[in-house]
Amino acid sequence: MGMFKTRKPRGYRRVSIYTDESRERLQKLVDEVKREQGEVPAGEERYDTDKFRGTFINYTPRAQKHRESGSRLGWPIIIILIFGLLILWRFLLTGIR
């Protein structure tokens, strides 16, 4: 009676190929031992986040172009031009008196 029984879907098992959990555990233990021995202060982070700030933009050409373009006044100028063209069109249709 396979029609009335729904099969249980196969379970998903994620295998991470870019990380090594045993290495992370070992590094965490080493950091903890260093902290206990006083070699590393307790509140110090392992990575300095300020060191990596702004490095993403150096490796993406699109972000570099956007940063180098500076401030752009595109939309306000377009709106003013459209408004000016509408006024010019109105005067051309009605005639200037």
Side-chain angles (χ1 to χ4, degrees):
M1 296 269 168
M3 287 181 14
F4 300 109
K5 270 185 136 178
T6 57
R7 291 182 60 199
K8 185 177 178 182
R10 185 177 49 185
Y12 177 74
R13 183 171 179 260
R14 181 174 179 260
V15 178
S16 181
I17 60 173
Y18 296 113
T19 60
D20 188 9
E21 287 109 12
S22 62
R23 181 180 290 173
E24 288 176 3
R25 263 187 269 125
L26 180 64
Q27 185 63 40
K28 198 180 284 186
L29 283 173
V30 168
D31 290 343
E32 187 177 322
V33 169
K34 284 183 180 181
R35 203 172 299 120
E36 287 175 0
Q37 290 179 351
E39 294 179 20
V40 179
E44 185 176 315
E45 290 186 34
R46 194 164 146 221
Y47 296 111
D48 186 18
T49 56
D50 292 333
K51 182 173 114 178
F52 300 111
R53 192 175 307 271
T55 56
F56 175 75
I57 205 164
N58 294 333
Y59 296 105
T60 54
R62 187 171 186 274
Q64 284 177 346
K65 283 182 192 175
H66 183 70
R67 181 180 63 181
E68 291 169 0
S69 68
S71 64
R72 297 181 354 181
L73 301 173
W75 285 109
I77 290 175
I78 290 173
I79 292 172
I80 291 171
L81 283 174
I82 290 174
F83 186 68
L85 288 174
L86 286 174
I87 291 173
L88 179 68
W89 187 39
R90 179 180 174 263
F91 282 124
L92 288 175
L93 289 178
T94 59
I96 302 174
R97 293 182 192 184

